[in-house]
Amino acid sequence: MATKKLKTLAMTAPTMPSFPADKFDVFKNAVLSELQQRKNIHDGKWGIDRLVWLVDSGLREKVWLQLERVWQAQEDRDDVKLDKAVKGMCKAYQAMEDWAAANGVSELPDLGQIEHQRDDGTVFVIVPDERAKSLYCQQWPGTTDRDVWTAAEIAIILAKQAGGHLSDIKRLWPESKLVAVGGPSGFDDMVNDLDMVTPSKQPKLFDTKAFKGAK
C-alpha cells in the first residue's frame, strides 16, 4: 500500500506489526519509532513544525527533501535507504535547532497551549484566552498550517452541537470520548444490512391476529 505523502513534517505513526508480519514492515515501524521520538522531543521544545517555517529557505528546502527521502524509501521498500533517510531526518531536526540557537530564536513559550497535529499535517491548537492566542500566533509569522482556538470559543461551538447536550454528557460521564462515526458523510457510509423492503422469510414468533382477538 502506498505511503501517504504529506507537505508537512507530519508522519504516519509507527505501529506494532501483526504477526506473521512482512519483514520490511517490521523494520519500517522499528526505525520510524526512532524518528517519531525525535520529532516529539523537537515539537515539545519548539512547537509542532514551528522551526521549519522560521529557518532560512535553504535549510527549509533541505529538510523537506530529506523528509521526501524517508517517504520514497518506504515506497521503494528499501530498508537500507530507509535507515539512512531516518538518520538523516534526525540530523535535520538537530540542524534546525542549531540554526535557531545561532539566530536567537527562542523556544516556544508555555502559554498553556495544547497542540494536536491532524493526519493531514495541520495543527489544531487550544489556548486559555485571547491574550494567549495573540502571543501564540506571534510565534508563527505568516504560516497557515494551524488554527488556534480559545477555550471560550470551543465552549461556544460545543454549546451549539446536539442541542447543547454534549456538555451534559461530559458532566455525567467525564471520561467519555467523542469519536467520528462512519466515513465522510457519517452514518450514510455504513453498510445497511437490514432489508426494509423485501418481506421477511423468517417464521413468525408472535401471532398478531391472536393478539387482536384477545382484546
Side-chain angles (χ1 to χ4, degrees):
M1 182 174 65
T3 304
K4 185 178 181 181
K5 189 174 182 180
L6 299 173
K7 296 181 180 179
T8 73
L9 299 188
M11 54 176 285
T12 302
T15 59
M16 183 173 178
S18 301
F19 296 99
D22 177 85
K23 183 178 179 181
F24 177 77
D25 287 340
V26 173
F27 177 81
K28 177 189 73 174
N29 283 283
V31 295
L32 288 182
S33 293
E34 178 183 346
L35 180 55
Q36 184 67 63
Q37 291 172 17
R38 183 64 180 90
K39 174 174 167 56
N40 290 343
I41 293 172
H42 175 90
D43 290 345
K45 185 176 182 179
W46 299 96
I48 295 179
D49 290 358
R50 172 174 170 246
L51 288 189
V52 73
W53 294 106
L54 299 180
V55 299
D56 61 68
S57 59
L59 179 53
R60 184 182 305 115
E61 181 181 9
K62 291 179 180 178
V63 171
W64 281 340
L65 288 175
Q66 186 61 40
L67 184 63
E68 175 143 19
R69 291 189 181 99
V70 175
W71 174 81
Q72 189 61 57
Q74 293 178 71
E75 291 292 291
D76 296 341
R77 296 178 63 81
D78 189 318
D79 54 354
V80 175
K81 287 184 179 179
L82 181 58
D83 184 52
K84 291 180 179 178
V86 166
K87 286 182 170 61
M89 193 63 210
C90 289
K91 292 179 180 178
Y93 280 114
Q94 187 61 53
M96 287 191 288
E97 293 170 5
D98 291 343
W99 182 95
N103 288 272
V105 177
S106 62
E107 299 175 12
L108 181 66
D110 183 3
L111 302 170
Q113 69 272 8
I114 299 174
E115 295 181 319
H116 169 69
Q117 192 159 40
R118 302 183 180 95
D119 291 339
D120 64 358
T122 59
V123 183
F124 177 79
V125 187
I126 302 176
V127 293
D129 50 39
E130 291 294 335
R131 178 180 178 277
K133 180 166 70 173
S134 177
L135 292 173
Y136 180 90
C137 290
Q138 291 174 22
Q139 308 299 319
W140 275 271
T143 61
T144 57
D145 68 333
R146 64 200 63 228
D147 45 303
V148 187
W149 303 80
T150 65
E153 289 175 321
I154 297 297
I156 291 173
I157 294 173
L158 291 176
K160 299 296 183 179
Q161 302 299 314
H165 295 307
L166 287 179
S167 295
D168 295 335
I169 294 172
K170 277 293 185 180
R171 283 192 290 269
L172 290 172
W173 295 285
E175 296 184 4
S176 59
K177 180 181 179 181
L178 181 65
V179 297
V181 179
S185 59
F187 288 101
D188 292 340
D189 291 87
M190 291 185 172
V191 177
N192 184 5
D193 58 352
L194 296 177
D195 188 346
M196 299 296 184
V197 179
T198 305
S200 174
K201 297 181 180 180
Q202 298 297 322
K204 288 187 176 182
L205 300 178
F206 186 78
D207 191 339
T208 53
K209 293 183 178 179
F211 177 76
K212 290 181 179 179
K215 288 184 177 181

